[in-house]
Each structure stands twice: as C-alpha cells, then as structure tokens.
Amino acid sequence: MSKHVVLVEDELNIAEAIRFVLSNDGWRVETLANGLNAVEVIRKARPDLVLLDVMLPGRSGFEILHDLRADPAFADLPVMMLTARGQSRDREMARKAGVSKFMTKPFSNAEMLEAVRELTASV
C-alpha cells in the first residue's frame, strides 16, 4: 500500500512539481489549494505526512498546524512546512507550533524527496 501525503500549497506550479516527484516515488498525493478546510480534510484522510505552505488563502499554515497539534490523534503526525520566506522568526514560530521540518523555497526535487523519506522512515 502506498504512503499518503496531503499537500496544502496554493502555488500551482510548486504543488504540481511536488506531486510529480512524490507520485514517482510511490506516494498517493492529495492536494489542496487553500487552508480553509485543510484540517477537516487531513482529519478525514489520516495521511502519513502533511506538506503545508505557510502563506495560504483562507487560513495560514501556522493556524492549521496549531489545530492539528491540539488534536491528540495528530500530535505525532509528521508535518513539513514550506515557505518562500525563510526568516528566523517564521522558523521559530513553526518550531513552537510543533512542526516536524521546515523547508525554504526554492528547494530541489532531491531535497524534497530526502526530507519526505526522512520524516516518514518509521511510518
């Protein structure tokens, strides 16, 4: 059975590139383009991993991460946040919110795949 990832990313070209790389590695990729119903979708999907953009229409990645970490069923779910702004303040906010990994755009396909494999090695 393939591993399942929910990708919440509003930039279509980035979402498609990540979907392509992960699909070729055997992942089932479910994509969302905004944060409005992301928590609901993630709760229903019960993925092995969430890739979450910081800046999203509707709700920010930080808000989504906060809601996930507040739910005991998702406290240990691997969540990698993606952002075009790699500022230390964003990294610190993500760390405090319980992020598993933080990746700054642009990143290479190899970096993305390595990070995903690392986060889900024990899944």
Side-chain angles (χ1 to χ4, degrees):
M1 185 170 159
S2 65
K3 290 184 179 176
H4 180 204
V5 61
V6 172
L7 168 62
V8 189
E9 170 61 68
D10 62 320
E11 293 182 47
L12 186 59
N13 59 336
I14 293 174
E16 182 55 29
I18 293 171
R19 188 202 62 73
F20 179 80
V21 168
L22 295 182
S23 294
N24 283 343
D25 195 51
W27 284 81
R28 185 166 49 92
V29 182
E30 185 172 351
T31 58
L32 301 171
N34 68 65
L36 284 176
N37 63 341
V39 173
E40 181 181 315
V41 169
I42 292 165
R43 282 187 175 132
K44 286 180 182 172
R46 299 188 112 15
D48 299 296
L49 172 70
V50 172
L51 298 178
L52 187 57
D53 191 14
V54 169
M55 295 182 291
L56 293 162
R59 296 190 75 212
S60 77
F62 293 119
E63 292 170 306
I64 295 164
L65 179 60
H66 180 269
D67 288 355
L68 290 173
R69 292 304 187 227
D71 183 338
F74 296 95
D76 295 327
L77 174 67
V79 176
M80 181 164 59
M81 291 190 86
L82 312 171
T83 185
R85 306 176 332 177
Q87 299 169 341
S88 59
R89 186 178 67 94
D90 289 339
R91 288 179 180 273
E92 183 61 18
M93 284 176 58
R95 188 190 63 74
K96 285 181 177 176
V99 75
S100 307
K101 188 163 185 69
F102 193 88
M103 187 171 280
T104 304
K105 301 173 193 173
F107 43 78
S108 72
N109 292 346
E111 285 176 299
M112 168 60 64
L113 197 51
E114 181 181 332
V116 164
R117 287 175 176 167
E118 176 186 306
L119 284 172
T120 58
S122 62
V123 174

